[in-house]
Amino acid sequence: MRHLLIVLLVSYSLSVMAAPRPFQRILSSPNGRLTLTVSASDSVRFSVSSAGQTLVNPSVIAMILADGRTLGNGVPQRSRVQSVRDSILPPVVTKRRVIRDRYKELVLEFRDKHALEFRVYDDGVAYRFRTDFTDSITVRSETARFAFANNPTVYYPAVQPRPEVDRFHTSFEEPYQIRSLSQLPDSVLCFSPVLLAPPTGPRIVLTESDLLDYPGMFLARQGNGLTGVFAPYPLTEKRIEAEYSQVVVANRADFIARTTGKRTFPWRVLVIGSDRDLPASDMVYRLATPNRIGDASWVKPGKCTDEWITNINLFNVPFRAGVNTETYKYYVDFAKRFGFDRILLDAGWSDNNDLFKITPGMNIPELVAYAHSQGVKLSMWTLAATLDRQLEPALKQFQSWGVDFIMTDFMDRDDQKMVNFYTRVAEACARAKIMIMYHGAYKPAGFERTYPNAITREGVLGSEYNIWSNKATPDHDVLLPFIRMVSGPMDYEPGLLSNATKEQFKPISGQVMSQGTRCHQLAMFVVYDSPISIFSGNPSQALLEPRFMEFLGSVSSAFDETKVLDAQLGQYIVTARQKGNDWYIGGLGNWSAHDLKLSLDFLGDGAFEAVSCTDGPNADRNPVDYQFSTKTVTRTESLPVHLAPGGGFLIRLRKK
């Protein structure tokens, strides 16, 4: 009996020693404010707190492969922590010349050649999977759960179901809905970014970065949090014939991605901060894969005109306005006069389905020669399905015309196959030294760092919605910097010169007006990130107001530094941008009036000439009303500014 007892005790002791111990590691941000806790036993979980306040409760992370393996399962074999203090010098300077990249990183390495990487910045937390398999893999699903504490208010854009396409088909252009997390219906499919506002403490923007060769992340409510939902891989597609034909998914697979086994996956990102922090954040950019195109000195930010929103409804001209050579020469003259780098030939310059079938009345060689003589470049719209089919010959044609910037439109998906279309087009354009902008597009997710020629994109409900709806309100406009813009630049296309109150507004094609004041439209050129800023107003109206247009034309589209001076989520935002020795301050407001006092302590020493364009005294009744003023200021002063309902302002400060 004694011998048997000894054997049983030894056996029990060995079994305890062999069991893996639960893992836990706590990591703080460089400034100590944010805390990330990572634990692992049966699965990996993470939680986040800010200054002791819990923001995210323990949330499960996993990736399930088609062969049955679950990544992020169990206890890691080893872990390591490092601190990074670095700076990024972006090859194309658009928001700031030097980007600080400081974080703490935790890497969990598992036995079967995969790892989880976590980073904690002062302005957020992110994680991603990394695999080191020899063979390719098929990802059946990914578990990305975010269990938010204290039932935050959610600001979210929801996919609107359409009978002719599946639930993952969307233009990524919807107004924000606002409700508590507990009241968000389980059936709603949101596209990121979304913003979560706890009752107290910082805001949280949930999004992703480094989206390459993998589907984008939608979000749906699950219990007290949100969970990632990913479009399955397209097995078969079909073409929907329409004015703007596009390829849609007919049948999807039972997996979300087939990909190489040795790679990193997209970052799941929580940008965390105050109302002033979020619009200025470049965390998504920092997390993205660095420049893949090599020398990017030929990528040139600038300003552009567009004629599509106003339906080319010109007046005071001696020709029939429309898609013809004379009209676009008129746009070239307008661009030269007011300091625009290029004009966009939007949909209609060619057959939508054949980029080599030029519309009658268009003499492209003549227009190219005229634009060149005026120092103005041409840019071209394309339909994505057509560009995909004619890519290489079309780019050669564009090169022969001196075109250095194109738009492609109507993708309306972010499954793996469509994500790879973005990469393929960006790479082809880079070889041809052509910049590319995507419309009908998902959010940038840092793509502009990886492919600097992919300089801006849509993925936003912008000016064009004034043609057919009342969705582009000042309330909507002022939310964009806190949510959508956190993911990267956005092509809103401001500049409409017919402006209306809420009661006056009507969507009228050809006589398009905007809601809010003229200065609300003007301020967008500073408040919104878009290195190619597009003026969508009617040039015939603009020519009647040369001082206003000269002022707008003097505003840069890319900046050396960006500071948010004042902001209140959903109420107003004031942003200062530096270009050389000059500063520009833009402010946007919602449908309420606001009186603000702007500190100028960010300026350098010496005196500055401040030229202000602000809402006029009657802008609350007639939103076209604006007024100019000029004064000399120094950094010790403050400027009072009044925003009318739906108002805005723009101030240019030049060193004297």
Side-chain angles (χ1 to χ4, degrees):
M1 289 294 293
R2 182 177 296 175
H3 295 293
L4 179 59
L5 178 61
I6 292 173
V7 171
L8 288 173
L9 287 172
V10 171
S11 175
Y12 175 75
S13 176
L14 288 173
S15 67
V16 170
M17 293 173 61
R21 295 181 179 178
F23 172 91
Q24 186 179 81
R25 183 63 60 92
I26 299 174
L27 210 61
S28 296
S29 59
N31 66 5
R33 189 168 184 84
L34 292 180
T35 301
L36 168 72
T37 301
V38 179
S39 61
S41 52
D42 58 331
S43 60
V44 177
R45 289 175 169 82
F46 78 100
S47 58
V48 182
S49 62
S50 173
Q53 175 188 342
T54 299
L55 301 178
V56 181
N57 289 318
S59 302
V60 176
I61 300 169
M63 182 178 287
I64 296 89
L65 306 185
D67 61 11
R69 285 178 291 175
T70 299
L71 309 187
N73 189 29
V75 177
Q77 185 180 18
R78 64 179 65 87
S79 66
R80 52 186 171 84
V81 175
Q82 67 169 339
S83 294
V84 174
R85 293 175 59 87
D86 201 355
S87 294
I88 298 169
L89 303 178
V92 179
V93 178
T94 60
K95 192 168 185 173
R96 50 180 56 92
R97 189 164 292 278
V98 179
I99 298 172
R100 293 175 57 186
D101 193 29
R102 300 179 181 179
Y103 58 89
K104 290 182 182 177
E105 183 177 67
L106 168 66
V107 179
L108 307 184
E109 297 179 348
F110 295 82
R111 292 183 183 277
D112 56 347
K113 294 187 177 181
H114 75 276
L116 267 167
E117 301 175 358
F118 296 86
R119 289 186 186 176
V120 189
Y121 294 85
D122 289 339
D123 57 345
V125 171
Y127 76 84
R128 70 175 174 185
F129 280 97
R130 173 166 53 82
T131 56
D132 194 25
F133 303 130
T134 303
D135 299 324
S136 61
I137 57 175
T138 298
V139 180
R140 186 174 299 281
S141 63
E142 179 183 342
T143 301
R145 291 186 182 144
F146 307 90
F148 293 102
N150 301 316
N151 191 29
T153 300
V154 188
Y155 296 69
Y156 64 94
V159 177
Q160 297 304 306
R162 290 165 49 189
E164 72 275 19
V165 292
D166 71 10
R167 69 188 296 235
F168 297 104
H169 192 99
T170 176
S171 62
F172 303 92
E173 302 165 4
E174 294 294 339
Y176 293 104
Q177 301 180 50
I178 306 170
R179 63 181 71 192
S180 64
L181 179 58
S182 63
Q183 296 302 309
L184 178 63
D186 294 350
S187 59
V188 168
L189 189 65
C190 312
F191 53 88
S192 70
V194 302
L195 183 143
L196 299 105
T200 60
R203 320 290 193 183
I204 307 163
V205 172
L206 174 55
T207 187
E208 59 187 328
S209 181
D210 210 31
L211 177 54
L212 300 167
D213 192 28
Y214 199 78
M217 182 174 65
F218 291 88
L219 295 161
R221 187 174 79 89
Q222 186 178 67
N224 66 340
L226 297 173
T227 189
V229 179
F230 303 88
Y233 188 85
L235 281 181
T236 59
E237 297 170 313
K238 62 182 179 182
R239 184 182 177 92
I240 294 180
E241 300 294 343
E243 181 182 5
Y244 302 109
S245 300
Q246 61 184 152
V247 176
V248 304
V249 178
N251 187 31
R252 294 190 182 273
D254 61 354
F255 59 87
I256 62 174
R258 278 183 176 150
T259 186
T260 179
K262 187 178 179 64
R263 63 164 293 175
T264 57
F265 287 82
W267 291 97
R268 309 293 162 225
V269 182
L270 296 163
V271 184
I272 301 169
S274 68
D275 290 348
R276 288 179 59 181
D277 295 331
L278 295 180
S281 176
D282 42 34
M283 181 177 167
V284 169
Y285 184 96
R286 281 175 262 146
L287 287 163
T289 295
N291 176 17
R292 283 182 172 177
I293 69 171
D295 173 39
S297 60
W298 52 270
V299 177
K300 300 293 185 184
K303 296 189 293 296
C304 185
T305 66
D306 181 64
E307 81 291 352
W308 189 83
I309 291 175
T310 60
N311 198 25
I312 323 183
N313 197 6
L314 305 178
F315 56 90
N316 291 340
V317 296
F319 54 85
R320 181 69 175 175
V323 181
N324 57 53
T325 306
E326 286 303 310
T327 294
Y328 286 110
K329 284 185 176 181
Y330 178 86
Y331 271 86
V332 168
D333 293 340
F334 174 82
K336 181 182 180 181
R337 177 171 178 181
F338 294 114
F340 290 79
D341 307 277
R342 53 179 54 83
I343 69 167
L344 178 67
L345 279 64
D346 212 314
W349 67 269
S350 75
D351 186 305
N352 291 345
N353 299 313
D354 187 349
L355 295 170
F356 296 91
K357 188 176 180 180
I358 309 302
T359 296
M362 288 293 298
N363 186 326
I364 298 293
E366 180 183 341
L367 181 60
V368 166
Y370 185 75
H372 181 74
S373 72
Q374 302 303 306
V376 175
K377 288 182 174 289
L378 303 183
S379 307
M380 321 299 282
W381 178 93
T382 68
L383 188 66
T386 305
L387 183 66
D388 195 22
R389 190 177 66 254
Q390 298 181 324
L391 183 58
E392 293 299 339
L395 293 180
K396 288 181 181 178
Q397 176 175 267
F398 294 147
Q399 282 182 305
S400 72
W401 293 341
V403 168
D404 69 345
F405 174 59
I406 67 171
M407 176 200 297
T408 198
D409 203 347
F410 287 95
M411 289 79 72
D412 295 352
R413 290 162 36 198
D414 70 350
D415 50 53
Q416 185 190 21
K417 187 171 183 178
M418 186 56 76
V419 167
N420 288 341
F421 165 83
Y422 283 62
T423 300
R424 185 171 68 255
V425 169
E427 289 174 345
C429 286
R431 291 191 295 270
K433 289 185 167 49
I434 291 175
M435 296 179 285
I436 175 74
M437 171 167 66
Y438 301 96
H439 265 220
Y442 56 86
K443 76 280 181 185
F447 194 76
E448 75 278 13
R449 182 182 183 192
T450 311
Y451 295 97
N453 62 314
I455 193 163
T456 189
R457 73 172 64 183
E458 197 178 29
V460 64
L461 190 158
S463 281
E464 66 182 8
Y465 276 76
N466 292 299
I467 302 172
W468 59 78
S469 81
N470 62 356
K471 292 181 177 180
T473 67
D475 288 344
H476 167 77
D477 299 339
V478 83
L479 284 174
L480 292 173
F482 301 95
I483 310 173
R484 162 61 181 85
M485 203 173 79
V486 176
S487 182
M490 57 187 195
D491 181 50
Y492 186 99
E493 301 191 5
L496 292 175
L497 303 178
S498 294
N499 316 110
T501 66
K502 186 186 301 185
E503 294 75 23
Q504 295 163 352
F505 177 82
K506 290 183 180 180
I508 305 173
S509 178
Q511 296 290 341
V512 179
M513 63 187 79
S514 70
Q515 297 182 67
T517 70
R518 172 71 66 79
C519 287
H520 186 88
Q521 291 286 304
L522 178 63
M524 293 179 185
F525 287 92
V526 167
V527 174
Y528 292 166
D529 291 334
S530 190
I532 298 283
S533 57
I534 293 183
F535 170 76
S536 64
N538 189 325
S540 295
Q541 287 178 279
L543 286 166
L544 300 176
E545 302 179 56
R547 186 183 184 190
F548 179 87
M549 285 307 304
E550 287 164 2
F551 188 64
L552 189 159
S554 73
V555 179
S556 181
S557 60
F559 303 92
D560 301 329
E561 186 54 84
T562 296
K563 297 178 181 293
V564 177
L565 304 184
D566 195 5
Q568 187 174 340
L569 175 66
Q571 299 293 312
Y572 62 85
I573 179 172
V574 179
T575 303
R577 311 264 196 177
Q578 183 183 25
K579 183 68 173 180
N581 292 324
D582 298 343
W583 282 88
Y584 303 87
I585 307 175
L588 287 178
N590 63 356
W591 274 128
S592 299
H594 299 279
D595 287 290
L596 306 175
K597 196 169 186 180
L598 310 180
S599 171
L600 301 180
D601 60 2
F602 60 89
L603 294 175
D605 295 332
F608 289 76
E609 179 191 62
V611 178
S612 302
C613 187
T614 56
D615 294 327
N618 300 298
D620 60 327
R621 297 171 54 203
N622 188 346
V624 173
D625 190 29
Y626 61 88
Q627 58 189 1
F628 278 101
S629 62
T630 302
K631 65 181 296 188
T632 298
V633 298
T634 66
R635 66 188 312 272
T636 61
E637 298 179 53
S638 296
L639 287 177
V641 180
H642 173 74
L643 277 71
F649 67 87
L650 198 156
I651 302 170
R652 185 185 67 205
L653 299 123
R654 282 188 168 163
K655 188 75 176 288
K656 298 192 72 169

